[in-house]
């Protein structure tokens, strides 16, 4: 969990990294050694968005949180959450990436 997307210089559009946290609580993420700006989405145990830390600045240790309990955290390229219309209350659904190697 602490490594996340560190040291990557790019991520494909519409891709992300999903974190399955051990318990529901207020989660906090940092951007240490993360080279790309991210939208960090926080979701509850029902997969509803509780908030987004949009356009998190790379290479900082500033805590990114929405101050609300969450169980899952999804990191996307900066701007992807807004383009997809994801906001608090949105029900998330996950599909495997098209053409992904398995």
């Amino acid at each position: 969990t602490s490594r996340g997307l560190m040291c990557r210089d790019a991520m494909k559009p519409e891709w992300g990294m999903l974190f399955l946290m051990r318990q529901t609580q207020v989660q906090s993420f940092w951007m240490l050694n993360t080279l790309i700006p991210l939208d960090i989405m926080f979701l509850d145990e029902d997969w509803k968005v509780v908030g987004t830390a949009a356009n998190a600045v790379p290479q900082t240790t500033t805590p990114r949180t929405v101050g609300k309990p969450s169980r899952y955290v999804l990191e996307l390229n900066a701007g992807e959450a807004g383009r997809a219309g994801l906001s608090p209350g949105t029900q998330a659904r996950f599909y495997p990436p098209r053409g992904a190697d398995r």
Side-chain angles (χ1 to χ4, degrees), residues 31-48:
M31 299 288 288
L32 182 68
N33 296 322
T34 304
L35 306 176
I36 55 176
L38 300 172
D39 286 346
I40 305 173
M41 299 183 57
F42 299 83
L43 301 101
D44 67 15
E45 44 295 300
D46 294 323
W47 298 94
K48 286 188 181 173

Side-chain angles (χ1 to χ4, degrees), residues 5-22:
L5 290 169
M6 286 183 181
C7 302
R8 296 175 184 257
D9 59 5
M11 183 168 52
K12 291 181 181 183
E14 298 183 9
W15 281 50
M17 179 172 276
L18 178 64
F19 296 87
L20 309 174
M21 308 310 283
R22 292 178 189 218

Side-chain angles (χ1 to χ4, degrees), residues 20-94:
L20 309 174
M21 308 310 283
R22 292 178 189 218
Q23 60 186 3
T24 298
Q25 63 184 26
V26 174
Q27 311 291 346
S28 182
F29 277 55
W30 62 10
M31 299 288 288
L32 182 68
N33 296 322
T34 304
L35 306 176
I36 55 176
L38 300 172
D39 286 346
I40 305 173
M41 299 183 57
F42 299 83
L43 301 101
D44 67 15
E45 44 295 300
D46 294 323
W47 298 94
K48 286 188 181 173
V49 176
V50 297
T52 302
N55 200 24
V57 177
Q59 299 184 323
T60 63
T61 57
T62 303
R64 306 291 194 250
T65 185
V66 294
K68 296 178 182 174
S70 59
R71 181 65 186 267
Y72 310 104
V73 179
L74 177 63
E75 293 181 339
L76 303 169
N77 283 314
E80 290 286 328
R83 279 191 283 285
L86 302 172
S87 61
T90 300
Q91 179 68 55
R93 294 185 204 149
F94 294 95

